[in-house]
Amino acid sequence: MRLIKMINNEYLPILEKKMEHVSGRRKNTLIFACSGLSNTGKLTMQAASTLAFMRPDVYRAAAAHKGVDAVEDAASEGFRILVLDGCTDRCATKKLDEAGIRADIYMVVTELGIKKTRPSDVKPEYVEVIIRAVKEA
């Protein structure tokens, strides 16, 4: 089990399945982001998109509201699947469950110490906390 540092400097365990490594390095990751309307939902997609933009050789982003096709494609290509939910409603997780797909890693933004508030409460430091957690997962 891995621990990640939250915004309040406490540590949180990350649920994960045993990962396979390809050629001595970690598999590429598809981040299946909640992309909901609250601040935490928006933060999931911002963090996922930022990682995919900064490291397209490692990360790919997919929004849950667009369906699971990208997840199916990525899984068939050998990607590990990381679900990034904004809150305890776990909308992205539910979307995968409905399709009968199991992710490798599940993360919830509110469990990183970021509170679910109004949609405009999207701060760069919150995105950084999420990015750090995803990189450590």
Side-chain angles (χ1 to χ4, degrees), residues 4 6 10 12 20-21 30-31 37 52 56 58 107 119 135 137:
I4 58 165
M6 300 185 323
E10 292 180 15
L12 178 76
E20 296 175 22
H21 291 271
L30 173 87
I31 304 167
L37 296 177
V58 177
M107 296 177 67
K135 285 180 174 180

Side-chain angles (χ1 to χ4, degrees), residues 15-60:
L15 299 175
E16 62 182 328
K17 293 193 302 189
K18 184 168 176 65
M19 304 299 344
E20 296 175 22
H21 291 271
V22 181
S23 307
R25 64 178 179 85
R26 183 179 288 187
K27 292 166 66 172
N28 288 351
T29 301
L30 173 87
I31 304 167
F32 190 61
C34 152
S35 65
L37 296 177
S38 70
N39 66 319
T40 54
K42 289 180 178 183
L43 287 165
T44 64
M45 201 61 216
Q46 283 190 6
S49 297
T50 300
L51 282 165
F53 178 77
M54 291 178 1
R55 294 295 311 270
D57 57 321
V58 177
Y59 298 103
R60 190 182 293 175

